[in-house]
């Protein structure tokens, strides 16, 4: 299905072309970013898919991991959100390929792009196509969701959103059964760097009362020089518009809290006030990166709920209030480091 040229990244010596590929990737967060890396590095793409009847919810996570000594492997991690099981499928690093000119990742006979995935795994096979994706705005001076932080070197972890929401078309054979995902909803994001933050909340849903609505938010402890700060990103897409709440666009994070049952967030920018109440559900353990290699462990639910309220800051007028289903939710690390409460929440 693809016509772009992919490169087996471990079969080429470091060259001027690698530098060019790396610079171009800065302005295309969805593409592979590891052209100049050979150790202490990971990169992974997260494909969430939910069937039209909402009986099936999966996340497919292809990626590459390199340890501090240069040992590397590719992988496809699979999360079955309804059955609450996970599988980590490991490949030699030589099985990984990436296009330098477009977003296309190959791992053995599997392909991952912004328009489709093609799976050829023992328990997962078939092709899913994506219709009408909703990307995060990408400007030359502020590429993707990281904004100007894209250009800051040596950050622990970088983040990108490829599609906030899109329609699925196709059938996958999973565990010997054909599952039709046509008419379902999908979401794609990615991370790259060397480790996940030591503390973070992350949540996402694009199953609200009406189609075409999607929400994503994350709060994390970000190492910065010899100190750290609490960074955050949130986006609510509805009525064909994405409303952004980020560390770099003047938004203030007023409330950040989590316990065994819920996560609560309150953000405010010049125009809007965003209130989030996430209700936690049973979670499944996944592998996560520590110093490049996938030896960490996090837990993710795909059956949580998010209640989102958006109002005008000037007069308190309600603009949006809805609850998202099939929500992906992670709470990881030393969360005391990112908890602070507003008594007026």
């Amino acid at each position: 299905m693809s016509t772009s040229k992919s490169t087996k990244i471990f079969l080429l010596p470091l060259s001027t072309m690698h530098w060019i590929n790396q610079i171009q990737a800065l302005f295309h967060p969805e593409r592979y970013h590891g052209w100049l890396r050979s150790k202490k590095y990971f990169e992974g793409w997260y494909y969430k898919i939910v069937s039209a009847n909402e009986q099936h919810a999966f996340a497919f996570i292809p990626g590459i991991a390199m340890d501090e000594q240069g040992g590397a492997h590719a992988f496809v991690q699979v999360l079955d959100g309804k059955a609450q099981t996970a599988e980590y499928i490991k490949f030699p690093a030589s099985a990984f390929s990436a296009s330098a000119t477009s977003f296309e990742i190959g791992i053995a006979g599997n392909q991952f792009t912004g328009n489709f995935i093609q799976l050829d795994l023992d328990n997962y096979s078939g092709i899913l196509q994506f219709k009408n994706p909703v990307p995060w705005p990408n400007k030359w001076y502020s590429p993707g969701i990281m904004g100007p932080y894209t250009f800051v070197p040596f950050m622990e972890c970088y983040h990108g959103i490829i599609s906030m929401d899109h329609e699925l078309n196709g059938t996958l054979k999973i565990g010997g059964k054909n599952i039709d995902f046509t008419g379902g909803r999908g979401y794609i994001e990615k991370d790259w760097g060397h480790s996940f933050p030591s503390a973070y909340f992350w949540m996402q849903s694009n199953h609200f009362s009406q189609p075409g609505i999607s929400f994503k938010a994350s709060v994390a402890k970000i190492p910065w020089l010899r100190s750290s700060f609490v960074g955050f990103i949130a986006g609510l897409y509805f009525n064909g518009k994405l409303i952004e709440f980020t560390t770099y666009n003047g938004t203030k994070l007023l409330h950040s809290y989590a316990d065994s049952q819920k996560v609560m967030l309150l953000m405010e920018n010049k125009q809007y006030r965003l209130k989030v109440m996430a209700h936690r559900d049973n979670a499944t353990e996944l592998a996560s990166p520590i110093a490049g290699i996938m030896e960490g462990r996090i837990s993710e639910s795909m059956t949580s709920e998010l209640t989102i309220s958006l109002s005008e800051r000037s007069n308190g007028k309600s603009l949006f209030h809805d609850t998202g289903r099939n929500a992906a939710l992670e709470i990881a690390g030393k969360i005391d480091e990112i908890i602070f409460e507003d008594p007026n929440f």
Side-chain angles (χ1 to χ4, degrees), residues 224-246:
W224 185 255
L225 302 176
R226 296 183 179 181
S227 185
S228 64
F229 65 95
V230 177
F232 55 90
I233 298 169
L236 174 62
Y237 180 81
F238 78 110
N239 290 341
K241 179 181 179 181
L242 178 65
I243 300 176
E244 303 177 34
F245 297 84
T246 66

Side-chain angles (χ1 to χ4, degrees), residues 197-202 297-299 330-335 338:
S198 62
Y200 70 90
F201 310 143
W202 171 84
R297 293 294 179 267
I298 58 173
S299 293
E330 295 177 7
I331 298 94
K334 303 174 183 178
I335 61 172
I338 56 173

Side-chain angles (χ1 to χ4, degrees), residues 103-341:
F103 168 41
E104 181 183 337
I105 303 302
I107 299 178
N110 304 274
Q111 281 188 293
F112 302 88
T113 79
N115 298 314
F116 72 91
I117 58 172
Q118 180 173 338
L119 300 177
D120 185 21
L121 302 165
D122 288 343
N123 294 316
Y124 312 91
S125 61
I127 298 173
L128 282 188
Q129 295 177 320
F130 310 141
K131 297 169 58 179
N132 303 318
V134 179
W136 193 278
N138 189 14
K139 306 176 181 69
W140 70 267
Y141 58 87
S142 183
I145 198 169
M146 289 291 293
Y149 286 101
T150 299
F151 304 108
V152 176
F154 311 121
M155 291 191 71
E156 180 180 56
C157 186
Y158 298 84
H159 189 62
I161 290 184
I162 299 163
S163 177
M164 288 284 289
D165 180 60
H166 50 264
E167 186 176 341
L168 306 176
N169 183 51
T171 299
L172 294 181
K173 189 173 184 179
I174 298 178
K177 297 181 179 180
N178 289 323
I179 300 176
D180 187 2
F181 284 91
T182 300
R185 310 306 299 181
Y187 169 87
I188 312 171
E189 67 168 45
K190 65 170 297 191
D191 295 282
W192 68 99
H194 64 79
S195 301
F196 274 1
S198 62
Y200 70 90
F201 310 143
W202 171 84
M203 62 190 73
Q204 182 277 331
S205 175
N206 50 344
H207 283 82
F208 289 85
S209 59
Q210 300 292 328
I213 300 172
S214 182
F215 176 78
K216 173 260 168 23
S218 58
V219 176
K221 181 181 179 182
I222 310 297
W224 185 255
L225 302 176
R226 296 183 179 181
S227 185
S228 64
F229 65 95
V230 177
F232 55 90
I233 298 169
L236 174 62
Y237 180 81
F238 78 110
N239 290 341
K241 179 181 179 181
L242 178 65
I243 300 176
E244 303 177 34
F245 297 84
T246 66
T247 307
Y248 53 82
N249 77 349
T251 297
K252 295 180 180 179
L253 179 62
L254 303 177
H255 187 95
S256 175
Y257 177 80
D259 59 27
S260 61
Q261 296 181 321
K262 62 186 179 295
V263 179
M264 298 187 296
L265 301 175
L266 180 63
M267 300 181 185
E268 189 175 81
N269 61 24
K270 293 181 179 180
Q271 190 172 356
Y272 302 108
R273 185 178 178 92
L274 176 72
K275 186 175 182 179
V276 181
M277 175 72 76
H279 298 279
R280 303 177 67 172
D281 201 1
N282 294 330
T284 305
E285 187 175 88
L286 296 173
S288 66
I290 297 177
I293 205 67
M294 302 295 286
E295 293 183 344
R297 293 294 179 267
I298 58 173
S299 293
E300 178 178 328
S301 166
M302 293 183 71
T303 55
S304 295
E305 288 190 344
L306 309 178
T307 299
I308 313 298
S309 298
L310 180 74
S311 60
E312 290 186 358
R313 181 180 176 186
S314 60
N315 56 23
K317 179 183 177 181
S318 178
L319 301 174
F320 178 87
H321 181 82
D322 205 347
T323 297
R325 311 175 305 281
N326 304 305
L329 179 63
E330 295 177 7
I331 298 94
K334 303 174 183 178
I335 61 172
D336 288 346
E337 298 176 342
I338 56 173
I339 285 179
F340 50 90
E341 299 181 66

